[in-house]
């Protein structure tokens, strides 16, 4: 009897193979949301390239191009919910899809916390998707009668998961993030004037850190607030920095063919397009796939580009970035050169840090 008990297979725990499951889940999320990123990036690139830089950003007046812009923005708005949904799907199966989509949408849109609106972008989506995956996985172990079990995947699990984790995000996670955002705004405000280069370095790092998330949005809000007061230099720093991460990731994927696969190079084409039109989110697929080797390079590259813009007194007069708004700056040549230098620095660091494909297990 003792031998039988000893030889019985052990029941796997909820967090068995946590590391491998998480890596697989992130790769699954990336594989499903890459086509959505490509759709958004390509249509936005074509539409915005036909527009003119105005006080509200790139203004597209051609009706056909406006429709392409709508399609592109649909892709951009969908990519974070798709990422969250398929990370959750990889961890928990089909019952994780619906709460993953809904919570992915929630974290990517402003949630009011006091006087601050908080959105956490792709980092929030990854965190909440993991929560969804393991929460749903746990709910699937509940012992219920056959009648209840038939409605668990389509009714009870999606509703209960979304309710509990949605409220958890709003009441628990969003509040500390709002405090961080307010603190960062105060820090930026204290770095004006003689600390221009330091301000550029800080804005550059913040811009690349979460690629459109709350830290990036804090820098954006700060620079646009100064624009209303007629101060355009911080906006110049920010608009250089937003272009660097996706362009750098795209360049690195083509330079180091022994470190990036064909799927990475396909992502790279879209990323370069998106960088040229100032959409930092083009770097997200690379960050999700390999955050540790991607984040240092793009943060340093963006910081270098923004610091150069600060030292040169580059001003940007519109709330958009990338090469397509170069005409709306006080020095077209230096503005474009700063983007190129920052992108090359970031790409070089990415190539140096990234392990060879053969070395991966």
């Amino acid at each position: 009897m003792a031998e039988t008990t000893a030889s019985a297979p052990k029941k796997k725990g909820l967090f068995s193979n946590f590391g491998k499951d998480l890596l697989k889940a992130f790769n699954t999320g990336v594989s499903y949301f890459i086509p959505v990123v490509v759709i958004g990036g390509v249509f936005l690139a074509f539409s915005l390239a036909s527009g003119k830089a105005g006080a509200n950003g790139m203004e597209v007046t051609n009706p056909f191009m406006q429709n392409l812009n709508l399609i592109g923005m649909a892709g951009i708005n969908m990519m974070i919910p798709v990422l969250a949904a398929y990370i959750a799907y990889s961890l928990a199966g089909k019952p994780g899809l619906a709460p993953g989509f809904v919570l992915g949408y929630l974290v990517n849109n402003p949630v009011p916390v006091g006087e601050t609106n908080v959105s956490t972008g792709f980092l929030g989506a990854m965190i909440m998707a993991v929560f969804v995956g393991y929460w749903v996985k746990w709910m699937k172990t509940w012992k219920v009668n056959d009648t209840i079990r038939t409605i668990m995947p389509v009714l009870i699990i999606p509703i209960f998961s979304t309710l509990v984790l949605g409220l958890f995000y709003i009441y628990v996670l969003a509040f500390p993030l709002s405090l961080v955002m307010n603190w960062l705004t105060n820090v930026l405000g204290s770095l004006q004037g003689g600390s221009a280069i330091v301000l550029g370095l800080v804005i550059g790092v913040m811009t690349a850190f979460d690629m459109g998330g709350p830290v990036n949005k804090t820098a954006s809000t700060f620079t646009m607030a100064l624009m209303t007061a007629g101060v355009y230099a911080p906006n110049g720093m920010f608009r250089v920095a937003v272009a660097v991460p996706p362009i750098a990731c795209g360049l690195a994927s083509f330079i180091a063919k022994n470190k990036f696969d064909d799927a990475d190079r396909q992502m790279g084409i879209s990323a370069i397009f998106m960088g040229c039109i100032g959409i930092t989110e083009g770097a997200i697929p690379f960050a999700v796939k390999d955050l540790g080797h991607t984040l240092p390079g793009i943060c340093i590259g963006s910081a270098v580009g923004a610091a150069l813009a600060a030292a040169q007194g580059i001003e940007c007069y519109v709330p958009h970035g990338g090469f397509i708004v170069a005409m709306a700056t006080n020095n077209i040549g230096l503005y474009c050169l700063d983007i190129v230098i920052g992108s090359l620095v970031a790409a070089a660091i990415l190539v140096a840090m990234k392990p060879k494909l053969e070395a991966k297990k």
Side-chain angles (χ1 to χ4, degrees):
M1 182 68 70
E3 290 181 2
T4 305
T5 304
S7 62
K10 292 183 179 179
K11 187 177 180 181
K12 288 187 177 181
L14 193 64
F15 296 100
S16 297
N17 300 319
F18 178 77
K20 290 182 179 179
D21 288 346
L22 217 54
L23 182 61
K24 179 186 174 185
F26 289 153
N27 286 333
T28 300
V30 169
S31 67
Y32 278 100
F33 101 124
I34 284 172
V36 183
V37 175
V38 172
I39 289 171
V42 170
F43 283 112
L44 272 182
F46 278 114
S47 64
L48 292 177
S50 70
K52 293 181 180 179
N56 297 316
M58 293 302 294
E59 297 174 358
V60 181
T61 55
N62 181 284
F64 179 73
M65 289 299 177
Q66 286 177 340
N67 290 332
L68 291 188
N69 187 272
L70 285 174
I71 296 171
M73 284 307 300
I76 295 298
N77 291 332
M78 279 299 299
M79 68 181 191
I80 297 301
V82 168
L83 173 66
Y86 282 98
I87 290 175
Y89 167 76
S90 177
L91 292 169
K94 288 183 180 179
L97 274 174
F101 273 117
V102 174
L103 293 174
Y105 180 87
L106 177 68
V107 302
N108 201 41
N109 286 274
V111 172
V113 179
E115 297 180 357
T116 305
N117 287 327
V118 178
S119 62
T120 54
F122 94 98
L123 288 175
M126 291 171 67
I127 293 168
M128 292 308 297
V130 173
F131 278 135
V132 169
Y134 282 100
W135 180 274
V136 171
K137 206 173 178 182
W138 170 66
M139 287 189 69
K140 288 168 71 174
T141 65
W142 290 5
K143 294 180 180 180
V144 294
N145 62 46
D146 292 341
T147 303
I148 299 297
R149 184 163 296 281
T150 57
I151 62 172
M152 284 282 287
V154 296
L155 184 64
I156 296 176
I157 289 178
I159 290 176
F160 193 60
S161 300
T162 305
L163 173 66
V164 172
L165 296 176
L167 292 176
F168 172 76
Y169 172 77
I170 292 169
Y171 287 107
V172 178
L173 294 183
F175 177 70
L177 282 169
S178 70
L179 297 179
V180 172
M181 290 169 65
N182 290 333
W183 174 77
L184 286 171
T185 303
N186 293 332
V187 169
L188 289 175
S190 69
L191 292 175
Q192 294 183 57
S195 306
I197 294 178
V198 176
L199 178 61
L201 291 169
V202 174
I203 285 177
V205 172
M206 289 177 65
T207 303
F209 179 74
D210 55 0
M211 291 153 273
V215 178
N216 175 291
K217 290 291 192 297
T218 300
S220 175
T221 302
F222 171 77
T223 60
M224 286 193 286
L226 290 179
M227 283 178 65
T228 62
V231 180
Y232 298 101
N235 189 57
M237 306 170 201
F238 181 73
R239 302 306 165 180
V240 167
V242 296
V244 170
I247 293 175
C249 290
L251 289 175
S253 69
F254 286 100
I255 293 170
K257 294 186 176 181
N258 62 335
K259 298 183 177 184
F260 295 87
D261 57 25
D262 290 337
D264 293 329
R265 282 183 281 279
Q266 291 171 13
M267 289 192 296
I269 296 171
S270 175
I272 291 172
F273 266 120
M274 295 176 78
C276 290
I277 62 172
I279 306 295
T280 319
E281 287 87 345
I284 290 177
F286 293 90
V288 174
K289 198 170 181 180
D290 190 359
L291 185 64
H293 293 114
T294 302
L295 197 59
I298 62 175
C299 283
I300 293 171
S302 289
V304 168
L308 286 172
Q312 296 156 358
I314 302 298
E315 296 182 349
C316 182
Y317 307 115
V318 295
H320 203 85
F323 292 115
I324 59 171
V325 299
M327 297 290 288
T329 67
N330 64 336
N331 194 316
I332 297 171
L334 287 178
Y335 173 80
C336 292
L337 182 62
D338 292 344
I339 293 176
V340 171
I341 292 173
S343 299
L344 290 175
V345 169
I349 296 171
L350 282 168
V351 170
M353 291 189 65
K354 187 86 171 174
K356 293 182 179 180
L357 292 175
E358 292 77 16
K360 290 185 175 181
K361 293 183 180 181

